């Protein structure tokens, strides 16, 4: 029997020991090489692309000779306005990609010895960078399926007080469905909706014309027959028949479920799409080494612009309010004044 890829030596090309042994200067140089790999690590002004720069002996920053713009190695990226050391950010990326089933903010905060709030935002910045690598369109043999997440309703203690939780009137309205569009041996594209039927318009937008759709017998997918050659599979009878199956879509859902149940325990509906895109990235890159995954994630983060959602997430303007969400808190988010979380 051949060895599984994840058990082979070729899957391990990144050493956390090497990252943690870096000095801050070495980590800064590594960041430079990742961000400006086209110029072999030589910095270029992010504003005017000029390579003529002033350097400073006392601080690790540059000043453009053309436009006088001053910038750091993380300026203009998703890690802009950072307070954490560059080495710790590199270590966070390395730790994050090594988590095959995901990585919780609580665990990351312990590994980096930082506050949970810092690790929470840092992890979501990495997820946002990973999500930016999602394809805009899929084509060929495309598997479509939906997976309902969240909205758990605890059954009543006494049997006579219990209700059928499958009925809409007995649900809490928090349930969401992750709809996946996955190419056979290709890319994965997830979206989040309230129901599967709402996803049809998005599917038509993101699945190329001429593609072959594989779906189950859910009535939500009947409308796809008008635009695509659609092969259906009845899972109550079999999982694959005449080439029609949604096994690769189910493989993605398995990874998402493992992350929800085993790693995060609870995923807020506000962030469900971020987690789904992270799992899509992990599923698409599961057959490359952790060193390559590390470089892909780091390069995506350094190419990504400043995050509108996560920059200053815990530092709101005076008088505004910030909602505190916890990956492991199954209760409704508590809204508190910004002064309480600054």
């Amino acid at each position: 029997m051949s060895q599984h890829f994840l058990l082979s030596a070729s899957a391990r090309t990144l050493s956390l020991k090497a990252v943690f042994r870096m000095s801050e200067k070495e980590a800064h140089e590594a960041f430079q090489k990742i961000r400006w790999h086209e110029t072999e690590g030589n910095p270029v002004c992010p504003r005017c692309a000029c390579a003529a720069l002033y350097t400073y002996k006392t601080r690790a920053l540059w000043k453009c000779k053309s436009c006088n713009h001053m910038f750091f190695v993380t300026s203009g990226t998703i890690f802009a306005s950072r307070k954490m050391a560059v080495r710790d950010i590199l270590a966070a990326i390395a730790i994050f990609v090594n988590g095959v089933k995901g990585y919780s903010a609580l665990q990351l905060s312990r590994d980096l010895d930082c506050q949970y709030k810092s690790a929470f935002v840092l992890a979501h910045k990495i997820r946002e960078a990973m999500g930016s690598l999602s394809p805009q369109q899929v084509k060929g043999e495309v598997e479509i399926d939906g997976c309902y997440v969240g909205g758990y309703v605890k059954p009543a203690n006494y049997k006579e007080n219990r209700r059928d939780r499958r009925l809409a009137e007995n649900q809490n309205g928090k349930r969401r469905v992750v709809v996946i569009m996955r190419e056979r041996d290709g890319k994965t594209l997830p979206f989040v909706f309230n129901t599967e039927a709402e996803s049809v318009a998005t599917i038509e937008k993101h699945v190329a014309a001429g593609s072959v759709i594989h779906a189950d017998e859910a009535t939500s997918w009947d409308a796809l027959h008008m635009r695509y050659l659609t092969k259906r599979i009845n899972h109550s009878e079999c999982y694959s028949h005449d080439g029609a199956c949604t096994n690769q879509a189910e493989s993605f859902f398995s990874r998402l479920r493992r992350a929800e149940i085993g790693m995060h325990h609870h995923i807020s509906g506000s962030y469900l799409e971020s987690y789904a895109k992270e799992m899509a990235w992990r599923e698409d890159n599961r057959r490359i080494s952790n060193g390559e995954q590390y470089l892909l994630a780091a390069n995506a983060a350094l190419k990504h612009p400043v995050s509108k959602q996560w920059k200053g997430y815990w530092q709101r303007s005076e008088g505004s309010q910030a909602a505190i969400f916890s990956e492991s808190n199954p209760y409704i988010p508590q809204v508190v004044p910004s002064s309480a979380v600054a």
Side-chain angles (χ1 to χ4, degrees):
M1 182 181 293
S2 60
Q3 188 181 41
H4 193 281
F5 172 75
L6 294 179
L7 300 177
S8 65
S10 58
R12 305 185 305 273
T13 59
L14 172 66
S15 171
L16 287 178
K17 294 185 295 183
V19 176
F20 280 112
R21 286 173 180 170
M22 282 183 178
S23 65
E24 185 66 12
K25 182 180 179 181
E26 291 172 335
H28 197 275
E29 291 173 352
F31 245 47
Q32 285 182 230
K33 291 179 181 178
I34 295 172
R35 181 174 185 181
W36 294 295
H37 60 88
E38 298 91 348
T39 57
E40 299 181 352
N42 295 316
V44 175
C45 177
R47 181 172 293 177
C48 67
C50 177
L53 307 171
Y54 296 107
T55 58
Y56 294 81
K57 293 183 179 180
T58 56
R59 300 183 68 190
L61 77 159
W62 301 273
K63 182 177 179 180
C64 178
K65 293 182 178 180
S66 176
C67 65
N68 293 325
H69 176 57
M70 299 179 69
F71 62 96
F72 295 88
V73 69
T74 55
S75 295
T77 73
I78 204 166
F79 298 128
S81 304
R82 63 180 173 85
K83 293 182 180 179
M84 190 173 287
V86 172
R87 182 182 62 181
D88 291 346
I89 294 177
L90 280 176
I93 298 173
I95 292 170
F96 197 81
V97 300
N98 268 344
V100 178
K101 299 298 183 184
Y103 214 83
S104 71
L106 180 60
Q107 192 171 353
L108 187 62
S109 70
R110 292 177 175 180
D111 290 340
L112 298 178
D113 189 23
C114 66
Q115 290 189 43
Y116 170 80
K117 296 191 294 183
S118 300
F120 177 79
V121 170
L122 180 58
H124 271 292
K125 285 181 177 180
I126 299 173
R127 286 190 187 98
E128 184 174 323
M130 288 177 169
S132 67
L133 300 177
S134 298
Q136 294 300 310
Q137 197 174 56
V138 291
K139 59 184 178 180
E141 302 272 333
V142 180
E143 296 183 9
I144 304 292
D145 205 355
C147 172
Y148 283 88
V149 179
Y152 175 75
V153 178
K154 188 176 181 180
N157 182 29
Y158 293 102
K159 183 178 180 180
E160 58 269 20
N161 296 329
R162 293 175 188 170
R163 301 291 182 266
D164 187 349
R165 293 177 290 168
R166 294 172 296 179
L167 301 178
E169 59 266 24
N170 296 326
Q171 296 178 6
N172 57 18
K174 296 182 180 180
R175 201 178 185 204
R176 298 291 181 269
V177 59
V178 178
V179 174
I180 192 69
M181 302 163 230
R182 186 168 191 186
E183 297 174 345
R184 290 276 177 88
D185 302 318
K187 296 296 183 179
T188 305
L189 186 56
F191 290 94
V192 176
F193 302 93
N194 291 322
T195 63
E196 285 185 345
E198 292 180 7
S199 68
V200 173
T202 303
I203 292 172
E204 293 176 350
K205 179 180 178 182
H206 292 279
V207 177
S211 299
V212 178
I213 297 291
H214 296 258
D216 58 23
E217 289 291 320
T219 57
S220 308
W221 315 129
D222 292 347
L224 297 176
H225 286 271
M226 299 176 61
R227 186 164 181 176
Y228 304 98
L229 172 60
T230 307
K231 298 182 178 181
R232 310 293 285 273
I233 184 73
N234 188 343
H235 285 159
S236 64
E237 297 179 358
C238 58
Y239 296 113
S240 176
H241 181 69
D242 288 341
C245 74
T246 59
N247 288 346
Q248 292 194 28
E250 296 293 348
S251 176
F252 165 80
F253 292 139
S254 175
R255 186 180 292 270
L256 181 63
R257 287 293 191 195
R258 290 302 96 202
E260 179 196 16
I261 298 170
M263 188 60 64
H264 304 294
H265 306 302
H266 169 77
I267 297 177
S268 170
S270 305
Y271 306 131
L272 180 57
E273 188 162 335
S274 296
Y275 286 95
K277 288 183 176 181
E278 175 202 347
M279 292 305 126
W281 185 90
R282 292 186 187 278
E283 188 72 6
D284 290 344
N285 295 288
R286 68 192 187 282
R287 289 293 183 266
I288 65 175
S289 68
N290 60 347
E292 292 176 278
Q293 292 177 356
Y294 164 75
L295 290 175
L296 279 176
N299 187 62
L302 292 174
K303 296 295 184 185
H304 196 285
V306 178
S307 174
K308 295 181 179 179
Q309 180 180 7
W310 297 108
K311 182 183 178 182
Y313 181 80
W314 299 107
Q315 294 81 30
R316 302 306 191 199
S317 59
E318 193 65 31
S320 67
Q321 293 182 327
I324 299 181
F325 294 91
S326 172
E327 292 171 300
S328 58
N329 185 359
Y331 302 105
I332 299 174
Q334 178 187 6
V335 179
V336 299
S338 59
S339 58
V341 296

